[in-house]
Amino acid sequence: MQGKFYGIGVGPGDPELITLKGMKALQNSAVVAFPAGRCGKQGIAEAIAAQFLHPSQIKLPLELPFVQDKLVLKAAWQAAVLKIAQHLRKGQNVSFIAEGDVSFYSTLTYLMWGLKSQPHEYEIEIIPGVSSPMAAAAAIGIPLTIWSDKLAILPAMHSFAELETALDWADVVVLMKVSSVYSEVWKLLRSRNLLHHSHVVAHATLPQQKVWSNLTQFPDLDLPYFSLLIVSLSTSMV
């Protein structure tokens, strides 16, 4: 008997946002895999799920580097897949946990593809989680979309043309990983008179969560990596 592989989204940060289905699968797995934290520190997904784990479970940190080099990434994904497969072949269920939702810009996708390419056929189940744009909208106290709103989500700012194009057609724009480009984005939003329609959320759902709305007075925010910006132009009415 081979083990079953679960991909579980554990939410944006607050452990209470793990779904019941995700928690049950997590607790019924002999092995819990997760992206290893940097510099020996606990990773985000591991920290979120820590209180639900029991001592008998095997923790499997996976080295998944934050780089753009595709060759480096593919080698890391393949090494992670082989580690997971070793446990599955022993009949052990393995849960891979990741912050947010595991189908939303998640490493799980590459691990799942890697498992599907293995000689053995493994049973795989994906359990969704709360993603950061939904958590951020809740923190602000606004709906993310209404009625016929068109939503654009940019995972990272590679060019300002992408953002300008999105602002031209979408009613709501979410810009993730905004910290490194915030100053330039602020200027663009000012030029379009959109600052009063804009919000920033840092560390959504965590105790250190911060929210800034109407960004007119905030041109120089020093934001952490886990920050996103929402521009809401919605005028839809039911």
Side-chain angles (χ1 to χ4, degrees), residues 39-216:
C39 304
K41 296 181 180 179
Q42 192 177 46
I44 297 171
E46 181 187 5
I48 294 170
Q51 64 181 273
F52 303 114
L53 304 182
H54 48 81
S56 64
Q57 289 178 293
I58 299 170
K59 292 185 177 181
L60 185 63
L62 302 173
E63 296 295 334
L64 301 168
F66 291 89
V67 297
Q68 297 297 320
D69 189 316
K70 291 185 177 180
L71 292 177
V72 173
L73 287 172
K74 286 181 179 179
W77 296 333
Q78 183 61 24
V81 166
L82 293 177
K83 288 181 179 180
I84 291 169
Q86 286 178 351
H87 291 282
L88 294 174
R89 288 197 298 271
K90 293 177 183 177
Q92 296 172 315
N93 289 347
V94 178
S95 284
F96 174 80
I97 57 174
E99 64 269 21
D101 176 77
V102 284
S103 66
F104 188 70
Y105 304 117
S106 174
T107 301
L108 171 73
T109 302
Y110 307 104
L111 301 182
M112 188 170 61
W113 288 347
L115 285 173
K116 288 183 176 181
S117 69
Q118 293 293 300
H120 301 276
E121 186 173 340
Y122 299 109
E123 186 179 359
I124 298 173
E125 181 175 350
I126 297 173
I127 300 176
V130 177
S131 61
S132 56
M134 287 69 181
I140 298 165
I142 62 171
L144 189 59
T145 56
I146 310 171
W147 199 237
S148 60
D149 283 350
K150 299 182 291 295
L151 170 66
I153 298 178
L154 304 182
M157 271 293 295
H158 297 297
S159 75
F160 280 90
E162 294 175 345
L163 178 56
E164 292 194 271
T165 299
L167 290 170
D168 286 337
W169 67 263
D171 301 295
V172 182
V173 177
V174 176
L175 180 57
M176 303 176 70
K177 301 178 182 177
V178 70
S179 59
S180 63
V181 293
Y182 176 76
S183 179
E184 292 82 0
V185 169
W186 187 91
K187 293 173 185 176
L188 174 60
L189 295 175
R190 181 182 61 180
S191 71
R192 287 183 170 236
N193 196 30
L194 293 176
L195 289 172
H196 58 292
H197 292 285
S198 303
H199 316 262
V200 170
V201 180
H203 294 303
T205 78
L206 289 169
Q208 65 268 38
Q209 171 184 286
K210 290 187 177 181
V211 177
W212 295 268
S213 293
N214 187 350
L215 301 180
T216 307

